Amino acid sequence: MTAYEEFQGYFAELNDLCCVINLLTWDARTQMPPGGAAARGRQVATVTRLANERFVSDTTGRLLDAAEAEVSGEGPDSYRARSVAQAREAYTLLRRVPTELMSGIAELKMVAQQAWQEARVANDFGRFAPDLSRMVELNRRLAEAIGYQEHPYDALLQRYEPGMTAARLRGLFATLREGIAPLLARAAPGSEAVRADFLDRDYPEEQQRAFALEIAQAFGYDLNRGRLDRSAHPFEISFTRDDVRITTRYNRRYAPAALFGLFHETGHALYEQGVDPALARGPLTTDLLDLYAVGGTSYGTHESQSRLWENMVGRSRPFWQLHFAALQRHFPEQLTGVDAEAFYRAANRVRRSPIRVEADEVTYNLHIMLRVEIEMALLEGSLAVADLPAAWNAGVREYLEIDPPDDSRGVLQDIHWSTGLIGSFPTYTVGNVMAAQFFAAARRATPGLDTALARGDYAPLRGWLTENVYRHGRAYSPDELLNRATGASLDAGPYLAYLRGKYDDLFPPQA
Ligand code: ZN
């Protein structure tokens, strides 16, 4: 056995452990009875500890040294060299983090999620505040352990979006905010005149599921290597590329929420199913920092794929011109007297809503900016957890010019902080921006792409994405991947051009 083969075998078992963590997580969120939460928390903590101990051990160091020597002559594009480099980078970073800190965060997650759920139901921030304070404190210690140049947020960002920094985000957000403001000023009042009464009818689950699955499969989701379940929060999760699952929740009174949610998770799933089989069970399909089995470059890159399929394809006019008839066949009574254009317009209304997950494409990033500002302030210590609800409400007023009705629909609406995710929100906006860059590059490289999309042939788009994004797994950093695929680094230009093209058409500027 060569040194690389030994390294590979060792990491394959680590990936197996990560797949077990994913499977326990999937079960907890789709099947497990509520009483199982505490026991499951311990199980996840145990397997996570085993995986972590294995990864940060001296054995890993020795295997890495030997594998590095073997692949040293290989070019920068060799997956072997990339695997070893990725593993080395994560190893170096995690060795700086005390094991008790990682397990402390893992244990707190389980308790904090429960507290957050109760606090949200009771509209009582005070019930979540102590766990959140502890979570912020542990993340601050994590940032110190990882190390950073300018801002503690930079350290946490490395876990989700390597290469991203607080300073880069501030620049990106400023550009976006300036571009979005005039669109919002027109689209929000303009949307009030858009007919949408037909969305608020009774849409039985079975038909929603049937239609959404037809579309997911048309996009290319392979049900032989996937399945769809229900959960309180929609998500995608994988246990290698051969078992990639998605979930959704159904809202009978507002069918599009479930449909677009499913298109979104399908985008994530296409990424996972499209990873090169040669990368299976290796470091390039393992998130070694967070110990999950994931085949995508970064959170933002993953999100770029869910948003590309959900919004740029699934929320487009050509999409509904083609597929509205099928939707109408599933819901003949609900959609009587409605046509494709009316549905397209209703599905693209722009509203100043306090709820992020209900946000449209124009306001979505404003929700993110607010959260990121707050996370940075919490980490710096310039904002205390006790003052968080007031800061939240002030931020919503500033960005959206509305008041949240209560904390449940305000500061308590997102699960993220209770699960220890601090520093992941920006990846949603980064994903939006990257999605437009990838889509524009796919258009340039694929003659006839729009004609194919208009007739429901998604193979050319999926093919370009598979070739340029999916198959590489985690082989490249987000910046490298973007540059290779689109010829540019992260750039808000194509995204703002996309938004202007769409919303200037829907809500034309008055001459
Ligand atoms: Zn997503």
Side-chain angles (χ1 to χ4, degrees):
M1 199 188 287
T2 70
Y4 183 82
E5 283 164 359
E6 207 179 329
F7 159 86
Q8 204 177 23
Y10 187 79
F11 273 84
E13 287 182 358
L14 185 63
N15 181 271
D16 292 344
L17 287 173
C18 292
C19 287
V20 169
I21 295 169
N22 282 15
L23 182 54
L24 290 171
T25 306
W26 174 84
D27 177 79
R29 296 173 70 178
T30 59
Q31 311 290 329
M32 187 184 76
R40 181 57 47 86
R42 287 189 292 273
Q43 292 156 3
V44 170
T46 298
V47 184
T48 305
R49 182 176 51 76
L50 291 175
N52 190 59
E53 281 170 4
R54 183 182 180 88
F55 181 44
V56 300
S57 68
D58 296 337
T59 308
T60 302
R62 279 197 301 278
L63 290 169
L64 271 171
D65 290 342
E68 273 166 353
E70 185 178 325
V71 302
S72 64
E74 299 179 14
D77 283 348
S78 136
Y79 280 156
R80 281 159 45 104
R82 288 270 166 180
S83 288
V84 177
Q86 284 271 9
R88 169 64 78 186
E89 208 174 297
Y91 179 73
T92 308
L93 192 149
L94 272 192
R95 288 270 279 193
R96 295 204 288 264
V97 180
T99 313
E100 50 84 22
L101 182 53
M102 291 309 276
S103 55
I105 292 173
E107 274 164 43
L108 180 58
K109 266 186 206 179
M110 294 297 156
V111 192
Q113 268 185 70
Q114 191 64 36
W116 165 75
Q117 259 166 20
E118 288 167 12
R120 192 166 78 142
V121 171
N123 187 35
D124 178 5
F125 180 75
R127 281 202 208 178
F128 178 46
D131 284 339
L132 181 57
S133 296
R134 180 112 186 88
M135 193 60 92
V136 171
E137 180 50 37
L138 290 182
N139 270 277
R140 205 178 281 141
R141 283 178 54 200
L142 183 62
E144 296 304 327
I146 291 172
Y148 54 88
Q149 301 265 313
E150 284 178 19
H151 196 287
Y153 205 56
D154 298 350
L156 299 187
L157 282 167
Q158 296 324 299
R159 303 171 67 197
Y160 312 114
E161 206 57 28
M164 188 48 67
T165 63
R168 276 182 84 184
L169 281 175
R170 287 196 176 109
L172 178 72
F173 286 178
T175 308
L176 287 176
R177 202 176 169 187
E178 199 183 305
I180 287 167
L183 294 177
L184 177 59
R186 271 202 312 277
S191 293
E192 285 166 23
V194 174
R195 186 190 158 196
D197 58 300
F198 50 85
L199 297 181
D200 186 29
R201 289 177 183 161
D202 187 23
Y203 288 85
E205 269 186 42
E206 258 323 292
Q207 287 95 309
Q208 289 192 44
R209 185 177 198 276
F211 174 77
L213 261 185
E214 277 168 34
I215 300 299
Q217 288 175 277
F219 286 171
Y221 183 46
D222 175 4
L223 283 178
N224 187 43
R225 298 185 288 137
R227 60 175 278 140
L228 167 64
D229 292 272
R230 266 202 284 161
S231 64
H233 283 266
F235 64 97
E236 171 275 326
I237 199 162
S238 70
F239 332 116
T240 81
R241 71 190 292 281
D242 293 327
D243 189 348
V244 180
R245 304 187 187 186
I246 56 178
T247 72
T248 192
R249 65 176 156 208
Y250 300 95
N251 183 344
R252 285 185 75 135
R253 299 304 299 182
Y254 184 64
L259 301 184
F260 290 116
L262 236 149
F263 300 168
H264 180 101
E265 302 309 330
T266 298
H268 284 303
L270 292 176
Y271 198 163
E272 293 295 311
Q273 288 190 334
V275 171
D276 189 330
L279 304 186
R281 293 179 76 221
L284 299 182
T285 51
T286 314
D287 180 351
L288 291 168
L289 294 179
D290 274 329
L291 295 172
Y292 290 110
V294 180
T297 293
S298 66
Y299 278 49
T301 318
H302 233 294
E303 205 59 19
S304 77
Q305 295 315 303
S306 55
R307 276 148 203 275
L308 192 157
W309 288 98
E310 176 195 356
N311 292 331
M312 289 166 192
V313 177
R315 244 180 250 270
S316 70
R317 183 179 273 129
F319 178 88
W320 287 108
Q321 281 171 343
L322 182 70
H323 294 293
F324 182 73
L327 186 70
Q328 217 169 18
R329 276 198 295 280
H330 286 289
F331 302 107
E333 283 157 34
Q334 294 86 340
L335 294 171
T336 304
V338 181
D339 63 13
E341 180 66 16
F343 192 87
Y344 167 67
R345 286 178 176 268
N348 283 290
R349 281 175 306 157
V350 173
R351 287 175 299 172
R352 301 175 192 271
S353 154
I355 311 291
R356 175 183 62 87
V357 296
E358 290 173 6
D360 49 78
E361 290 182 79
V362 174
T363 55
Y364 192 90
N365 300 297
L366 303 174
H367 288 267
I368 297 305
M369 292 175 198
L370 160 70
R371 285 155 177 75
V372 173
E373 229 169 60
I374 283 177
E375 288 188 338
M376 288 184 190
L378 285 172
L379 270 188
E380 287 166 5
S382 59
L383 174 65
V385 166
D387 300 326
L388 184 48
W392 181 280
N393 294 343
V396 173
R397 229 165 281 138
E398 187 201 327
Y399 279 103
L400 293 159
E401 298 168 27
I402 53 166
D403 288 305
D406 50 42
D407 286 345
S408 291
R409 286 170 283 180
V411 67
L412 287 171
Q413 66 183 272
D414 295 310
I415 192 174
H416 299 61
W417 294 337
S418 74
T419 65
L421 291 173
I422 296 179
S424 78
F425 274 124
T427 65
Y428 294 128
T429 289
V430 168
N432 281 329
V433 170
M434 288 175 89
Q437 291 184 261
F438 286 131
F439 202 18
R443 273 210 174 95
R444 283 197 301 273
T446 318
L449 183 67
D450 285 297
T451 320
L453 292 174
R455 56 164 198 271
D457 178 6
Y458 299 106
L461 177 59
R462 194 179 62 253
W464 186 90
L465 292 167
T466 303
E467 179 60 26
N468 291 280
V469 182
Y470 303 165
R471 72 183 175 94
H472 298 302
R474 302 173 69 84
Y476 301 106
S477 72
D479 284 322
E480 284 174 320
L481 190 75
L482 262 179
N483 274 291
R484 291 172 61 99
T486 74
S489 298
L490 193 70
D491 171 16
Y495 179 58
L496 285 173
Y498 158 78
L499 286 180
R500 280 188 204 111
K502 179 168 183 173
Y503 290 96
D504 280 352
D505 167 77
L506 282 165
F507 306 102
Q510 298 303 319

